[in-house]
Amino acid sequence: MHDIDRPDPSPRFANLATAASALAEAEALVARLLPLSTPADSASPDLQEHLASAWFRQIEALDALGRTAEVVAAADALCAHFEPGARDVLAPVFAPVAAWPWIARAQCEKARALAATGHAEAALGLLREVQRRFEQAQSPALREWIVAAGLEEARLRAAGGATFARVDMVRHCEDLARRFGGDDWLATRVLVARVRAVQARMLAELDYHDEALKKYAALHEDLQAATEPALKARAAAAQHAHARLLEMLGRDEEARALLHTLIAAHADAAEPERRQTLALARTDLALALQRDLLRGAQDEDLEERLLAACDAVLDPHADSDDATVLRCVNRILRVKAQLLRDRDAEPDDEDRADELAEWQWSRYAGHPDAQVRKELLLAMLDQLVPLDDPPRELAGYRRLLDRFGDDRSALLQPQLARTRLLEAWALRALDRGDEALSALSELDALHAESADAYTRLQCVHGRIERARILWARGDVEAALRALEGWTEARGAEDTALRRAIARAMDLRCDILQAQAPAAHPRPDGKDEEGRAIEVAVVEVEERYAAAVAALVARFAKDPAEDLRTIAVKAQYALAAHWRGRLQFQRAVDAYAALLQAFAADTCAEVEGTVASAYLNQAYALMMLLGREADALPVYDALLARFPNATGASMRDTLAKAAASRLTCLNRLQRQGAAVSYGDQYEDLTLAQRDEIDATIERGRVLAVEGKHREAIACYDEVLQAHVESLHPELRRHCLDAMVRKGYSLGCLSQREAALAVNDEVIARYGNELSTSAEKDVALAMSNRAVQLDKLGRRAEELQTYDAIIVRWARSDVAYLRERVANARFCKAITIADTDLDAALALYGHVIDTCLRAPEVALRTYAAKSSVNRGVRLRKAGRYEEAVACCEALVEACGEEADKGIAAQVVKARIGLARSYGHVGQVERQVETLELLLALPAGKIDEGLCAELRAEYQQLRPSPLVKAARALGALFGPKK
């Protein structure tokens, strides 16, 4: 929650230069005093004390400089001098009692250094030895280091152990506080306070939040009246930790109230540690307000309050030399600059933000503290990322890399990696691909082996960018090499990193798929003579399949739904590729692999792909491989897997499956196989089914000949015999017969009878989950609307259109989408005289969704809607809109081969000819009329053609104008 935390409460040196100077002085003093002192020389205690003090100064300086191996050596040298041969069983020489605190301290310093270099067990051994050896000590100076050893043990074991280790260390801290809590020695009292704070923190980590809050409160209460600055600092730190825990628990108001109390109580503090706590508390308040703003809190004064909170950090702390305080200052400078950029209260806010960032850069770019530099780097990136100005961005990123590119601090590496990636993106945006590749190579070379998840994330993004650049250049193999090696488990807990790895692996699949041969032009796998076409699998297809397999293996069980979705869609695309390449068995196997990996997945998007995989696998088995017996259980598995699906797309899939399953059963029966439509249904022989088919077909032929009464007699023959049957095949036949009967009744103008039949269709079969049934029900509903229109029952007609639209608006079945387009089109015609805007909106919806559809029927409805919309707009005097509507149709369908659509385009041009004059485009009006009049005879009704010719005569240009046009065409600019 908080990325600015409290460091060691007593930093030993202000900066590295001070530490280096102190080290030189201490080493010189140790070298001078060491020959003058021996461990048995009790006559010179002052000399020994000076030597020990110099030695510890040397150790502190080495520690501050990060030279931990030399810390260990110096601590060993100190112990060896004051206690030579202590481990020699035959002739041990032990340190005098006065030197015991030095021995204990040296062992603690050594343990800290060992822990810092990864030797935690050795460090713990030393710390336990200090506590064991001196546990009975009464010397205040020695007891201080027993507590210090115990505190360090608690920290190490809690950091490196599991839950039981923390529980053990909670008890350990309780024991330390009990044993040493009554000491008067100030250093020990301070250490005990730190022990109690560590105990409270571990309780919070163990989710004993109430106990932790009580511990913090008790610690603050015990120390708040202390006069010693070190203890007052511990009281303030306890109150601050208490507030942070309250915030973590969601008790924001209590946390903020406690922070305000802390700030009021310590506002005049001068000593460094309390100033740190003040800076941290003020920063926490500002960050809390920023979170409120980001969450969209409804508070009109929030921005001003946040600015004031930022200034409450900056005004008293910006001149500090303390690294912790300056971490807070730099974080708040970022917050303030972000706020100024994001708000629009004042016109110069963005300039103020840039000025603030530049001031921050000039002041802190050379700061020795890594976290201060990190906050500065983040602030500069905040300034650059949203610019959308590649040249300026590139200059900014390069300034950052010039300053920090050689910085090896671990804290800066994630953002340096991000900066190098951003530099590459800016270079690519400027078409400087070679430089972009060079920047990406540097990113990879410097950061690819990082253990930090965010740093590795930038490297994966860099690999993706490299691959895209190389792929665009045609260097496919280099692009593929860039995407290798990202399947390892490191950083697996980081979702963003896994997402990037999935994208990289998916891009590899896309590149290989693009190199593979295209789908065969004969999708059924048969040549003109019906023979199977043999197509060989090429090497790149095998690589493509292997890449998909790796992606699925890596992410099929990932906890993130979007990553499983990437994997399932890649596997589905592979199956579709094999089907398109006529590798039908490979396609079936690919669908089977998909189902094995994802069939039980409950993610909605994955489920949709799984359902489609079932459907397509069954289709390939039945229609492409002729294996109906293998297809049937796949249909059954699909219907069993999603029995309660309600989504439109899923219901479409299930309806297709139900219809195809019935087809599968019929084909099996025709092949002579013993099939069961269900034990609950009566037997239906093949001969009976053929007889019913023949009767319905006879009715269809009669209807085409206009003999509707005879046709109805055929339909009634089927219906009277089977309409009450629940057998799925008989229901299909009866539905077909009933829809045809309703149509024939309408043709005989028997409106009420036709309406009754269509209503019966909807009532009997409206909930049938089968594509063929849904198509017939939709047709019956459309026919019902036609009869209601003829009967003048407008309200019911409109309700029928709405029912069609609501039910199938999201269907992906082309015929059902056609019924929806028809419903919108017809509804628009019906309401145009009473609600023009609603009618225009309906026409517009059909145009938007159907004008560029692949199906001719849908494009036809879009064309008719464009023409009708243009007519209505002209009648309303909205000529500019009419022109735009008709021009869009002409542009989209001007070269359309379909006769129906071409006829609508002609109507659109007529509308344009009659609209251009109203918007002052007379020349275009003349050109359009000339184009229309030049059409072949029969394209336009003779009466309308005469009207257009008369209009043209009125507008016909004079011979002089014609000559000018001809000259312009002859001598005008060449194109």
Side-chain angles (χ1 to χ4, degrees):
M1 182 177 295
H2 300 277
D3 51 7
I4 299 177
D5 292 317
R6 184 184 304 278
D8 187 316
S10 303
R12 289 164 165 174
F13 298 96
N15 52 55
L16 297 181
T18 306
S21 175
L23 176 62
E25 293 176 5
E27 286 177 336
L29 188 56
V30 169
R32 184 165 61 83
L33 295 179
L34 191 58
L36 305 178
S37 171
T38 63
D41 188 6
S42 58
S44 56
D46 289 344
L47 178 63
Q48 292 188 24
E49 187 170 345
H50 283 311
L51 174 60
S53 178
W55 231 321
F56 285 121
R57 190 66 171 167
Q58 178 186 359
I59 288 171
E60 290 171 352
L62 288 167
D63 179 53
L65 293 168
R67 293 158 62 176
T68 48
E70 294 173 70
V71 170
V72 172
D76 283 342
L78 184 151
C79 291
H81 175 76
F82 287 109
E83 200 166 42
R87 301 189 183 279
D88 187 340
V89 178
L90 296 177
V93 178
F94 293 103
V97 172
W100 286 1
W102 304 334
I103 300 295
R105 180 180 176 183
Q107 296 290 61
C108 287
E109 298 283 5
K110 179 180 177 181
R112 287 179 57 185
L114 287 170
T117 55
H119 298 87
E121 286 305 317
L124 286 168
L126 282 176
L127 295 168
R128 285 192 289 265
E129 175 63 20
V130 168
Q131 294 172 81
R132 184 202 61 77
R133 177 178 175 184
F134 301 114
E135 65 177 337
Q136 302 301 324
Q138 297 300 313
S139 163
L142 183 53
R143 287 170 66 85
E144 170 192 346
W145 290 103
I146 298 172
V147 180
L151 174 61
E152 197 63 30
E153 180 188 3
R155 283 175 168 171
L156 279 178
R157 288 197 60 196
T163 299
F164 73 89
R166 287 191 176 87
V167 172
D168 192 27
M169 287 302 98
V170 166
R171 298 193 192 98
H172 176 64
C173 289
E174 188 70 34
D175 182 60
L176 288 173
R178 178 184 55 77
R179 289 169 55 203
F180 299 95
D183 284 25
D184 290 331
W185 187 260
L186 178 59
T188 302
R189 292 171 65 196
V190 172
L191 283 168
V192 168
R194 290 171 60 193
V195 166
R196 292 173 65 185
V198 167
Q199 182 189 32
R201 189 185 72 233
M202 287 190 291
L203 284 167
E205 291 169 351
L206 291 167
D207 293 335
Y208 294 113
H209 299 128
D210 289 341
E211 291 84 345
L213 292 170
K214 290 175 184 176
K215 291 289 185 182
Y216 283 131
L219 179 55
H220 175 260
E221 185 176 349
D222 290 346
L223 298 179
Q224 63 178 338
T227 57
E228 299 90 339
L231 292 178
K232 291 169 73 174
R234 300 316 306 162
Q239 198 167 29
H240 180 234
H242 189 171
R244 282 194 167 182
L245 180 54
L246 285 169
E247 182 190 315
M248 188 195 78
L249 296 174
R251 296 161 62 176
D252 291 351
E253 293 304 317
E254 294 175 74
R256 296 179 195 190
L258 196 57
L259 289 173
H260 283 297
T261 300
L262 185 160
I263 292 167
H266 301 276
D268 297 330
E271 63 271 20
E273 193 173 350
R274 275 202 293 161
R275 296 294 294 171
Q276 288 178 2
T277 301
L278 274 172
L280 289 165
R282 287 167 172 151
T283 299
D284 287 353
L285 282 173
L287 294 178
L289 290 173
Q290 185 191 39
R291 285 193 297 275
D292 290 345
L293 188 63
L294 294 174
R295 291 170 185 158
Q298 300 301 309
D299 184 345
E300 60 183 19
D301 297 327
L302 186 53
E303 289 184 349
E304 291 304 321
R305 288 169 54 211
L306 177 53
L307 279 177
C310 289
D311 290 338
V313 177
L314 299 175
D315 291 346
H317 298 295
D319 292 330
S320 175
D321 292 327
D322 184 281
T324 301
V325 173
L326 291 183
R327 295 172 187 176
C328 296
V329 166
N330 276 267
R331 177 60 183 275
I332 293 305
L333 284 168
R334 275 184 67 201
V335 172
K336 184 174 181 180
Q338 284 175 326
L339 175 58
L340 289 171
R341 288 191 191 96
D342 292 343
R343 75 172 193 165
D344 55 4
E346 301 292 340
D348 64 341
D349 277 347
E350 190 160 346
D351 291 338
R352 289 174 60 196
D354 289 342
E355 290 171 5
L356 201 63
E358 288 306 310
W359 180 85
Q360 185 178 5
W361 174 267
S362 64
R363 185 164 182 132
Y364 299 112
H367 199 278
D369 182 78
Q371 192 164 335
V372 170
R373 300 196 303 276
K374 172 190 170 183
E375 291 294 337
L376 173 63
L377 181 55
L378 287 167
M380 297 301 104
L381 291 175
D382 289 344
Q383 181 185 23
L384 292 168
V385 168
L387 287 179
D388 196 22
D389 182 355
R392 186 177 166 194
E393 291 173 51
L394 180 60
Y397 299 140
R398 288 192 163 169
R399 180 172 75 159
L400 293 179
L401 293 172
D402 287 344
R403 179 64 188 82
F404 296 118
D406 295 329
D407 197 315
R408 290 295 174 261
S409 168
L411 279 175
L412 269 67
Q413 298 315 303
Q415 297 308 326
L416 286 174
R418 182 181 177 220
T419 304
R420 291 185 169 97
L421 177 64
L422 292 169
E423 177 194 23
W425 282 343
L427 286 164
R428 188 182 182 195
L430 294 168
D431 292 325
R432 293 160 64 176
D434 289 338
E435 292 176 77
L437 289 172
S438 177
L440 293 169
S441 295
E442 186 174 16
L443 167 65
D444 217 47
L446 292 173
H447 302 289
E449 297 304 316
S450 173
D452 176 74
Y454 185 82
T455 305
R456 287 171 50 72
L457 173 64
Q458 309 313 305
C459 291
V460 178
H461 284 317
R463 292 285 190 93
I464 293 171
E465 184 70 6
R466 169 183 289 278
R468 285 176 174 158
I469 293 173
L470 293 168
W471 188 19
R473 292 182 169 193
D475 195 346
V476 173
E477 290 303 320
L480 292 171
R481 285 194 298 274
L483 297 170
E484 293 173 352
W486 293 105
T487 59
E488 67 273 25
R490 276 192 302 165
E493 71 286 351
D494 185 87
T495 303
L497 177 56
R498 296 199 317 278
R499 184 172 291 116
I501 292 173
R503 286 180 53 222
M505 296 178 73
D506 194 39
L507 178 59
R508 179 176 173 81
C509 296
D510 289 344
I511 294 173
L512 287 166
Q513 183 184 21
Q515 306 312 305
H520 197 278
R522 304 282 299 193
D524 63 351
K526 303 290 180 61
D527 61 19
E528 291 82 353
E529 298 177 4
R531 293 172 301 191
I533 300 171
E534 297 290 335
V535 177
V537 174
V538 299
E539 186 263 346
V540 72
E541 290 177 295
E542 299 284 9
R543 293 174 66 191
Y544 169 39
V548 172
L551 175 61
V552 171
R554 177 72 173 78
F555 293 105
K557 302 303 179 185
D558 195 279
E561 290 185 351
D562 61 323
L563 302 190
R564 302 200 304 276
T565 301
I566 289 173
V568 74
K569 287 187 180 299
Q571 182 68 29
Y572 189 83
L574 174 64
H577 170 81
W578 288 132
R579 176 172 157 181
R581 287 276 291 147
L582 311 186
Q583 297 292 326
F584 299 138
Q585 185 56 51
R586 285 179 180 254
V588 167
D589 293 342
Y591 287 126
L594 185 153
L595 295 171
Q596 182 177 3
F598 299 100
D601 201 307
T602 56
C603 166
E605 196 162 0
V606 173
E607 283 187 327
T609 307
V610 165
S612 295
Y614 274 120
L615 188 65
N616 285 306
Q617 183 188 33
Y619 177 88
L621 286 165
M622 179 172 68
M623 302 301 293
L624 302 176
L625 292 173
R627 290 159 50 187
E628 287 82 357
D630 293 331
L632 187 59
V634 179
Y635 286 124
D636 290 339
L638 168 55
L639 295 169
R641 171 65 180 82
F642 303 104
N644 302 312
T646 56
S649 178
M650 186 68 79
R651 283 187 63 83
D652 278 347
T653 300
L654 296 178
K656 292 173 185 175
S660 297
R661 181 182 184 277
L662 189 56
T663 300
C664 188
L665 285 168
N666 293 340
R667 287 169 64 120
L668 283 168
Q669 187 183 42
R670 193 164 293 280
Q671 292 166 12
V675 298
S676 172
Y677 291 88
D679 294 338
Q680 69 272 39
Y681 305 128
E682 68 267 38
D683 290 335
L684 179 66
T685 66
L686 185 58
Q688 289 172 316
R689 184 154 57 87
D690 287 345
E691 183 181 350
I692 296 169
D693 280 336
T695 303
I696 294 175
E697 175 61 16
R698 190 165 62 251
R700 187 192 68 79
V701 172
L702 288 167
V704 170
E705 295 172 352
K707 300 175 181 177
H708 291 290
R709 287 184 176 84
E710 292 88 337
I712 290 171
C714 294
Y715 304 143
D716 281 341
E717 181 182 336
V718 173
L719 293 170
Q720 288 165 8
H722 305 293
V723 74
E724 299 301 332
S725 174
L726 297 178
H727 193 293
E729 184 63 4
L730 291 174
R731 283 178 65 80
R732 182 178 71 83
H733 283 305
C734 289
L735 172 57
D736 185 24
M738 199 174 289
V739 172
R740 294 180 184 280
K741 177 181 176 179
Y743 173 76
S744 287
L745 286 168
C747 292
L748 293 170
S749 297
Q750 298 182 31
R751 309 291 179 205
E752 293 292 352
L755 191 58
V757 170
N758 285 314
D759 284 344
E760 186 177 358
V761 169
I762 296 164
R764 279 185 178 273
Y765 305 101
N767 294 320
E768 197 98 346
L769 191 62
S770 165
T771 301
S772 59
E774 288 207 308
K775 288 179 180 179
D776 281 338
V777 170
L779 179 57
M781 292 176 74
S782 293
N783 290 340
R784 179 180 194 271
V786 170
Q787 301 310 318
L788 289 167
D789 175 57
K790 301 288 186 183
L791 292 168
R793 292 157 61 175
R794 296 284 181 259
E796 294 173 78
E797 177 192 357
L798 294 175
Q799 288 172 358
T800 305
Y801 293 139
D802 288 339
I804 293 171
I805 294 167
V806 168
R807 179 162 177 175
W808 290 295
R810 297 175 59 193
S811 176
D812 62 3
V813 177
Y815 181 82
L816 296 176
R817 289 167 56 214
E818 180 187 339
R819 291 294 97 211
V820 171
N822 170 269
R824 287 194 170 109
F825 177 76
C826 292
K827 181 180 178 181
I829 293 174
T830 302
I831 67 172
D833 291 331
T834 57
D835 191 346
L836 177 60
D837 287 339
L840 293 175
L842 285 165
Y843 286 135
H845 198 292
V846 176
I847 295 165
D848 292 342
T849 56
C850 302
L851 186 59
R852 300 188 183 278
E855 298 86 1
V856 171
L858 289 173
R859 294 203 305 279
T860 300
Y861 276 114
K864 293 166 71 175
S865 294
S866 297
V867 171
N868 282 17
R869 192 170 193 270
V871 170
R872 286 292 176 175
L873 287 167
R874 284 201 309 279
K875 287 182 177 179
R878 294 158 63 174
Y879 293 103
E880 289 185 355
E881 294 175 73
V883 165
C885 179
C886 292
E887 283 184 340
L889 173 60
V890 172
E891 180 183 355
C893 303
E895 304 300 323
E896 183 71 55
D898 179 77
K899 292 181 179 180
I901 297 177
Q904 296 301 319
V905 172
V906 171
K907 292 180 180 180
R909 292 189 193 278
I910 293 170
L912 286 170
R914 290 176 169 174
S915 298
Y916 279 140
H918 292 279
V919 294
Q921 297 186 37
V922 178
E923 286 194 14
R924 297 198 69 180
Q925 183 181 15
V926 170
E927 292 171 0
T928 305
L929 286 168
E930 289 176 345
L931 179 64
L932 289 167
L933 293 171
L935 290 173
K939 291 288 185 180
I940 304 177
D941 177 78
E942 277 301 321
L944 180 58
C945 192
E947 291 178 20
L948 295 174
R949 192 173 290 108
E951 292 173 20
Y952 178 69
Q953 291 296 332
Q954 291 180 351
L955 296 169
R956 184 173 57 182
S958 67
L960 186 59
V961 171
K962 284 188 174 181
R965 284 184 184 172
L967 287 171
L970 183 62
F971 298 107
K974 301 297 182 184
K975 294 184 179 179

